PDB file of all heavy atoms in Angstrom:
ATOM      1  N   ILE A  90      -1.742   5.969   7.849  1.00 98.00           N
ATOM      2  CA  ILE A  90      -1.778   4.808   6.964  1.00 98.00           C
ATOM      3  C   ILE A  90      -2.908   4.971   5.950  1.00 98.00           C
ATOM      4  O   ILE A  90      -4.044   5.363   6.324  1.00 98.00           O
ATOM      5  CB  ILE A  90      -2.054   3.524   7.789  1.00 98.00           C
ATOM      6  CG1 ILE A  90      -0.844   3.193   8.743  1.00 98.00           C
ATOM      7  CG2 ILE A  90      -2.346   2.328   6.916  1.00 98.00           C
ATOM      8  CD1 ILE A  90       0.371   2.741   8.012  1.00 98.00           C
ATOM      9  N   LEU A  91      -2.583   4.694   4.679  1.00 98.00           N
ATOM     10  CA  LEU A  91      -3.619   4.508   3.654  1.00 98.00           C
ATOM     11  C   LEU A  91      -3.756   3.042   3.335  1.00 98.00           C
ATOM     12  O   LEU A  91      -2.764   2.432   2.873  1.00 98.00           O
ATOM     13  CB  LEU A  91      -3.225   5.362   2.436  1.00 98.00           C
ATOM     14  CG  LEU A  91      -3.080   6.857   2.603  1.00 98.00           C
ATOM     15  CD1 LEU A  91      -2.659   7.537   1.340  1.00 98.00           C
ATOM     16  CD2 LEU A  91      -4.329   7.432   3.170  1.00 98.00           C
ATOM     17  N   GLU A  92      -4.876   2.460   3.640  1.00 98.00           N
ATOM     18  CA  GLU A  92      -5.083   0.998   3.469  1.00 98.00           C
ATOM     19  C   GLU A  92      -5.966   0.738   2.240  1.00 98.00           C
ATOM     20  O   GLU A  92      -7.057   1.270   2.125  1.00 98.00           O
ATOM     21  CB  GLU A  92      -5.723   0.446   4.729  1.00 98.00           C
ATOM     22  CG  GLU A  92      -6.050  -1.036   4.631  1.00 98.00           C
ATOM     23  CD  GLU A  92      -6.887  -1.511   5.796  1.00 98.00           C
ATOM     24  OE1 GLU A  92      -6.847  -0.862   6.890  1.00 98.00           O
ATOM     25  OE2 GLU A  92      -7.649  -2.458   5.672  1.00 98.00           O
ATOM     26  N   VAL A  93      -5.475  -0.228   1.422  1.00 98.00           N
ATOM     27  CA  VAL A  93      -6.248  -0.598   0.210  1.00 98.00           C
ATOM     28  C   VAL A  93      -6.188  -2.100   0.029  1.00 98.00           C
ATOM     29  O   VAL A  93      -5.401  -2.781   0.647  1.00 98.00           O
ATOM     30  CB  VAL A  93      -5.671   0.077  -1.061  1.00 98.00           C
ATOM     31  CG1 VAL A  93      -5.707   1.621  -0.934  1.00 98.00           C
ATOM     32  CG2 VAL A  93      -4.190  -0.351  -1.267  1.00 98.00           C
ATOM     33  N   PRO A  94      -7.108  -2.657  -0.830  1.00 97.00           N
ATOM     34  CA  PRO A  94      -7.017  -4.095  -1.102  1.00 97.00           C
ATOM     35  C   PRO A  94      -5.682  -4.446  -1.733  1.00 97.00           C
ATOM     36  O   PRO A  94      -5.045  -3.646  -2.435  1.00 97.00           O
ATOM     37  CB  PRO A  94      -8.139  -4.333  -2.099  1.00 97.00           C
ATOM     38  CG  PRO A  94      -9.070  -3.162  -1.928  1.00 97.00           C
ATOM     39  CD  PRO A  94      -8.187  -2.018  -1.568  1.00 97.00           C
ATOM     40  N   GLU A  95      -5.162  -5.646  -1.521  1.00 97.00           N
ATOM     41  CA  GLU A  95      -3.870  -6.061  -2.013  1.00 97.00           C
ATOM     42  C   GLU A  95      -3.733  -5.933  -3.509  1.00 97.00           C
ATOM     43  O   GLU A  95      -2.757  -5.507  -4.006  1.00 97.00           O
ATOM     44  CB  GLU A  95      -3.588  -7.520  -1.565  1.00 97.00           C
ATOM     45  CG  GLU A  95      -2.214  -7.997  -1.913  1.00 97.00           C
ATOM     46  CD  GLU A  95      -2.027  -9.426  -1.394  1.00 97.00           C
ATOM     47  OE1 GLU A  95      -2.515 -10.380  -2.097  1.00 97.00           O
ATOM     48  OE2 GLU A  95      -1.429  -9.584  -0.364  1.00 97.00           O
ATOM     49  N   THR A  96      -4.789  -6.305  -4.269  1.00 96.00           N
ATOM     50  CA  THR A  96      -4.728  -6.249  -5.747  1.00 96.00           C
ATOM     51  C   THR A  96      -4.587  -4.783  -6.187  1.00 96.00           C
ATOM     52  O   THR A  96      -3.739  -4.520  -7.090  1.00 96.00           O
ATOM     53  CB  THR A  96      -5.906  -6.869  -6.390  1.00 96.00           C
ATOM     54  OG1 THR A  96      -7.115  -6.355  -5.755  1.00 96.00           O
ATOM     55  CG2 THR A  96      -5.899  -8.412  -6.241  1.00 96.00           C
ATOM     56  N   ALA A  97      -5.309  -3.907  -5.558  1.00 97.00           N
ATOM     57  CA  ALA A  97      -5.174  -2.478  -5.897  1.00 97.00           C
ATOM     58  C   ALA A  97      -3.839  -1.926  -5.451  1.00 97.00           C
ATOM     59  O   ALA A  97      -3.210  -1.152  -6.155  1.00 97.00           O
ATOM     60  CB  ALA A  97      -6.320  -1.655  -5.223  1.00 97.00           C
ATOM     61  N   GLY A  98      -3.363  -2.361  -4.274  1.00 97.00           N
ATOM     62  CA  GLY A  98      -2.048  -1.950  -3.812  1.00 97.00           C
ATOM     63  C   GLY A  98      -0.930  -2.301  -4.696  1.00 97.00           C
ATOM     64  O   GLY A  98       0.019  -1.532  -4.964  1.00 97.00           O
ATOM     65  N   CYS A  99      -0.962  -3.527  -5.210  1.00 97.00           N
ATOM     66  CA  CYS A  99       0.084  -4.055  -6.132  1.00 97.00           C
ATOM     67  C   CYS A  99       0.058  -3.243  -7.414  1.00 97.00           C
ATOM     68  O   CYS A  99       1.136  -2.863  -7.992  1.00 97.00           O
ATOM     69  CB  CYS A  99      -0.102  -5.529  -6.409  1.00 97.00           C
ATOM     70  SG  CYS A  99       0.302  -6.562  -4.991  1.00 97.00           S
ATOM     71  N   LEU A 100      -1.146  -2.995  -7.951  1.00 96.00           N
ATOM     72  CA  LEU A 100      -1.254  -2.169  -9.155  1.00 96.00           C
ATOM     73  C   LEU A 100      -0.736  -0.762  -8.955  1.00 96.00           C
ATOM     74  O   LEU A 100       0.020  -0.251  -9.768  1.00 96.00           O
ATOM     75  CB  LEU A 100      -2.733  -2.106  -9.582  1.00 96.00           C
ATOM     76  CG  LEU A 100      -3.074  -1.235 -10.789  1.00 96.00           C
ATOM     77  CD1 LEU A 100      -2.451  -1.792 -12.073  1.00 96.00           C
ATOM     78  CD2 LEU A 100      -4.630  -1.137 -10.940  1.00 96.00           C
ATOM     79  N   ALA A 101      -1.096  -0.180  -7.835  1.00 97.00           N
ATOM     80  CA  ALA A 101      -0.630   1.230  -7.541  1.00 97.00           C
ATOM     81  C   ALA A 101       0.862   1.215  -7.356  1.00 97.00           C
ATOM     82  O   ALA A 101       1.563   2.153  -7.800  1.00 97.00           O
ATOM     83  CB  ALA A 101      -1.337   1.714  -6.274  1.00 97.00           C
ATOM     84  N   LEU A 102       1.383   0.271  -6.628  1.00 96.00           N
ATOM     85  CA  LEU A 102       2.866   0.187  -6.317  1.00 96.00           C
ATOM     86  C   LEU A 102       3.632   0.085  -7.608  1.00 96.00           C
ATOM     87  O   LEU A 102       4.672   0.794  -7.782  1.00 96.00           O
ATOM     88  CB  LEU A 102       3.106  -0.947  -5.363  1.00 96.00           C
ATOM     89  CG  LEU A 102       4.508  -1.040  -4.760  1.00 96.00           C
ATOM     90  CD1 LEU A 102       4.816   0.229  -3.969  1.00 96.00           C
ATOM     91  CD2 LEU A 102       4.608  -2.267  -3.893  1.00 96.00           C
ATOM     92  N   ALA A 103       3.219  -0.739  -8.534  1.00 96.00           N
ATOM     93  CA  ALA A 103       3.887  -0.915  -9.792  1.00 96.00           C
ATOM     94  C   ALA A 103       3.955   0.407 -10.562  1.00 96.00           C
ATOM     95  O   ALA A 103       4.954   0.787 -11.109  1.00 96.00           O
ATOM     96  CB  ALA A 103       3.280  -2.007 -10.632  1.00 96.00           C
ATOM     97  N   ARG A 104       2.853   1.102 -10.555  1.00 96.00           N
ATOM     98  CA  ARG A 104       2.788   2.357 -11.294  1.00 96.00           C
ATOM     99  C   ARG A 104       3.631   3.455 -10.570  1.00 96.00           C
ATOM    100  O   ARG A 104       4.324   4.214 -11.277  1.00 96.00           O
ATOM    101  CB  ARG A 104       1.265   2.851 -11.358  1.00 96.00           C
ATOM    102  CG  ARG A 104       1.098   4.049 -12.276  1.00 96.00           C
ATOM    103  CD  ARG A 104      -0.330   4.373 -12.460  1.00 96.00           C
ATOM    104  NE  ARG A 104      -0.544   5.488 -13.401  1.00 96.00           N
ATOM    105  CZ  ARG A 104      -1.655   6.112 -13.689  1.00 96.00           C
ATOM    106  NH1 ARG A 104      -2.777   5.619 -13.117  1.00 96.00           N
ATOM    107  NH2 ARG A 104      -1.737   7.126 -14.462  1.00 96.00           N
ATOM    108  N   MET A 105       3.598   3.505  -9.268  1.00 96.00           N
ATOM    109  CA  MET A 105       4.427   4.443  -8.540  1.00 96.00           C
ATOM    110  C   MET A 105       5.906   4.207  -8.818  1.00 96.00           C
ATOM    111  O   MET A 105       6.644   5.220  -8.957  1.00 96.00           O
ATOM    112  CB  MET A 105       4.099   4.328  -7.036  1.00 96.00           C
ATOM    113  CG  MET A 105       2.732   4.801  -6.633  1.00 96.00           C
ATOM    114  SD  MET A 105       2.428   4.478  -4.827  1.00 96.00           S
ATOM    115  CE  MET A 105       0.685   4.967  -4.727  1.00 96.00           C
ATOM    116  N   GLU A 106       6.296   3.002  -8.804  1.00 94.00           N
ATOM    117  CA  GLU A 106       7.710   2.714  -9.084  1.00 94.00           C
ATOM    118  C   GLU A 106       8.134   3.124 -10.455  1.00 94.00           C
ATOM    119  O   GLU A 106       9.231   3.583 -10.677  1.00 94.00           O
ATOM    120  CB  GLU A 106       7.962   1.183  -8.790  1.00 94.00           C
ATOM    121  CG  GLU A 106       7.902   0.870  -7.291  1.00 94.00           C
ATOM    122  CD  GLU A 106       8.055  -0.614  -7.006  1.00 94.00           C
ATOM    123  OE1 GLU A 106       7.857  -1.432  -7.907  1.00 94.00           O
ATOM    124  OE2 GLU A 106       8.357  -0.935  -5.860  1.00 94.00           O
ATOM    125  N   ARG A 107       7.222   2.892 -11.445  1.00 95.00           N
ATOM    126  CA  ARG A 107       7.523   3.310 -12.823  1.00 95.00           C
ATOM    127  C   ARG A 107       7.695   4.830 -12.902  1.00 95.00           C
ATOM    128  O   ARG A 107       8.487   5.326 -13.706  1.00 95.00           O
ATOM    129  CB  ARG A 107       6.438   2.840 -13.763  1.00 95.00           C
ATOM    130  CG  ARG A 107       6.480   1.352 -14.093  1.00 95.00           C
ATOM    131  CD  ARG A 107       5.617   1.038 -15.373  1.00 95.00           C
ATOM    132  NE  ARG A 107       4.233   1.498 -15.258  1.00 95.00           N
ATOM    133  CZ  ARG A 107       3.242   0.774 -14.760  1.00 95.00           C
ATOM    134  NH1 ARG A 107       3.513  -0.474 -14.319  1.00 95.00           N
ATOM    135  NH2 ARG A 107       2.044   1.241 -14.680  1.00 95.00           N
ATOM    136  N   MET A 108       6.867   5.505 -12.133  1.00 95.00           N
ATOM    137  CA  MET A 108       6.821   6.991 -12.226  1.00 95.00           C
ATOM    138  C   MET A 108       7.875   7.622 -11.318  1.00 95.00           C
ATOM    139  O   MET A 108       8.088   8.834 -11.305  1.00 95.00           O
ATOM    140  CB  MET A 108       5.404   7.513 -11.801  1.00 95.00           C
ATOM    141  CG  MET A 108       4.358   7.120 -12.725  1.00 95.00           C
ATOM    142  SD  MET A 108       2.692   7.581 -12.102  1.00 95.00           S
ATOM    143  CE  MET A 108       2.823   9.377 -12.039  1.00 95.00           C
ATOM    144  N   GLY A 109       8.557   6.817 -10.541  1.00 93.00           N
ATOM    145  CA  GLY A 109       9.570   7.323  -9.583  1.00 93.00           C
ATOM    146  C   GLY A 109       8.979   8.101  -8.408  1.00 93.00           C
ATOM    147  O   GLY A 109       9.606   8.979  -7.841  1.00 93.00           O
ATOM    148  N   THR A 110       7.744   7.702  -8.026  1.00 93.00           N
ATOM    149  CA  THR A 110       7.060   8.364  -6.882  1.00 93.00           C
ATOM    150  C   THR A 110       7.795   8.050  -5.578  1.00 93.00           C
ATOM    151  O   THR A 110       8.218   6.936  -5.362  1.00 93.00           O
ATOM    152  CB  THR A 110       5.611   7.870  -6.781  1.00 93.00           C
ATOM    153  OG1 THR A 110       4.944   8.092  -7.996  1.00 93.00           O
ATOM    154  CG2 THR A 110       4.898   8.587  -5.659  1.00 93.00           C
ATOM    155  N   THR A 111       7.939   9.059  -4.747  1.00 91.00           N
ATOM    156  CA  THR A 111       8.587   8.903  -3.457  1.00 91.00           C
ATOM    157  C   THR A 111       7.653   8.013  -2.630  1.00 91.00           C
ATOM    158  O   THR A 111       6.440   8.386  -2.410  1.00 91.00           O
ATOM    159  CB  THR A 111       8.832  10.213  -2.797  1.00 91.00           C
ATOM    160  OG1 THR A 111       9.764  10.979  -3.571  1.00 91.00           O
ATOM    161  CG2 THR A 111       9.448  10.002  -1.399  1.00 91.00           C
ATOM    162  N   LEU A 112       8.178   6.981  -2.039  1.00 95.00           N
ATOM    163  CA  LEU A 112       7.378   6.086  -1.257  1.00 95.00           C
ATOM    164  C   LEU A 112       8.000   5.883   0.139  1.00 95.00           C
ATOM    165  O   LEU A 112       9.198   5.877   0.307  1.00 95.00           O
ATOM    166  CB  LEU A 112       7.265   4.687  -1.904  1.00 95.00           C
ATOM    167  CG  LEU A 112       6.314   4.563  -3.076  1.00 95.00           C
ATOM    168  CD1 LEU A 112       6.570   3.265  -3.844  1.00 95.00           C
ATOM    169  CD2 LEU A 112       4.855   4.612  -2.547  1.00 95.00           C
TER     170      LEU A 112
END
Side-chain angles (χ1 to χ4, degrees):
I90 294 289
L91 300 179
E92 176 190 335
V93 299
E95 186 178 79
T96 48
C99 290
L100 176 65
L102 190 58
R104 188 173 182 187
M105 290 173 187
E106 289 175 340
R107 285 197 304 271
M108 296 173 62
T110 304
T111 299
L112 282 167

